[in-house]
Every structure is written in structure tokens, then in C-alpha cells.
Amino acid sequence: TYYLLEFPLFNIIVAFLYSIFGVQEIIGRFVSILSFTISSFFLYSISKHLFNKRVGLISIFFFNVFPIGILVSRAFLPDNLMLLLQLISFWLALKLYQRFDTKTFLVLLLSIPLTILAKLQGFFILIPIIFLLLSGKEDLRKKFLYVLLVGISLLVPLAWYLHVIRVTLQYT
């Protein structure tokens, strides 16, 4: 039986590093730990932006010391990569909410599909992102265009998951 789930983004990164350093399990764990560590930075930045520096420090303290975080951060799984991409996407949406910038928006349009491709649960980041885009200072037509472009960026993950369904039905 052949099952296909998420796009192998995490696996591609690990395979690339394998081609450089050789096949070692520690490399997959390193990618996961690095994703977790960079996630801490974005969590701090988001918390500091929404509240203050103290709340940012408290948030990363708890993020880094909770046992489930420590356990998952070392796992050879795409979850931390998805979390990192979610936090980057939300951070970009916050920056756009403050002041619209075309480059930031284009990076957001790239990070959203990557988040969803990394793991399907990444889809839930769309709720706060669309909320931020709709509550920005732009006029209604521009807001509609932004949400439409986000929708168009979802065509890549949609195509991937339709492929997953087709492969799963064909080989199970």
C-alpha cells in the first residue's frame, strides 16, 4: 500500500543536506531543531510587536521549555518547518497590516503555499492572515485583490493535495 500525504519539502531539504554531508540521522534532527530555533525568533518578534518586549521574552521562554516543544523540536518530522513557515507568514501579514509593501506581500504569497505544502494543518494560518488583510487601511477593492491573490496562491497546494488523493485512490 502506498500513501502520500504532505509535500516532501522537509525531506527535500534533508536530502539536499545528505548530498553534502552524507546520510546521517542527525541532519534531519538538525533541520528540525533549526526550524524550532528560528521559530522562537519569529514568535518573539510577533509577541513583541503585539504586546511588548517582556511578553515576547515570556512567550519564547514557555515555547522553549514546555516538554512537548522539546520533544517535538528534536523529531525527524516536518512539524517544526510548518510552524516556522506559519510564524513567518503571520509576521509578514502583521508587517503588511502596519504598512503595505509589494515585496513583503509577494514573500507572503510564497510563504503561505509553502506552509500548507509542508503540512496540511498549515492551512489554519489563513484565518488570521485573511483577517489582517481585510482589516488593513487599504480601500475595499485593494483588500479584495489581496485576498484574491492569496486564494490564487493556494492553487499550488490544492493541486498537490488533489494529486495526493489520486495517488492514494490508485494505489490503495
Side-chain angles (χ1 to χ4, degrees), residues 55-84:
V55 172
L57 291 171
I58 291 169
S59 67
I60 63 167
F61 171 76
F62 284 111
F63 178 71
N64 286 304
V65 299
F66 273 150
I68 191 72
I70 294 168
L71 178 69
V72 173
S73 70
R74 311 183 304 110
F76 197 122
L77 296 169
D79 298 65
N80 285 317
L81 180 61
M82 178 205 59
L83 176 64
L84 172 61

Side-chain angles (χ1 to χ4, degrees), residues 96-98 130-139 143:
L96 288 170
Y97 177 77
Q98 265 185 316
I130 290 174
F131 175 78
L132 285 170
L133 290 175
L134 289 176
S135 51
K137 299 170 183 113
E138 306 291 326
D139 65 42
K143 289 178 185 180

Side-chain angles (χ1 to χ4, degrees), residues 118-135:
K119 201 155 172 80
L120 184 58
Q121 291 84 346
F123 185 81
F124 290 105
I125 196 63
L126 286 174
I127 297 167
I129 287 175
I130 290 174
F131 175 78
L132 285 170
L133 290 175
L134 289 176
S135 51

Side-chain angles (χ1 to χ4, degrees), residues 1 15 19 26 56 67 96-97 131 136 140 146:
T1 306
S19 70
I26 191 72
L96 288 170
Y97 177 77
F131 175 78
L140 193 57
Y146 300 155

Side-chain angles (χ1 to χ4, degrees), residues 92-130:
L92 291 167
L94 275 176
K95 288 181 64 106
L96 288 170
Y97 177 77
Q98 265 185 316
R99 188 179 64 80
F100 186 83
D101 174 42
T102 304
K103 287 181 183 178
T104 305
F105 186 67
L106 291 175
V107 174
L108 176 67
L109 291 180
L110 179 67
S111 69
I112 291 171
L114 285 175
T115 302
I116 298 167
L117 285 172
K119 201 155 172 80
L120 184 58
Q121 291 84 346
F123 185 81
F124 290 105
I125 196 63
L126 286 174
I127 297 167
I129 287 175
I130 290 174

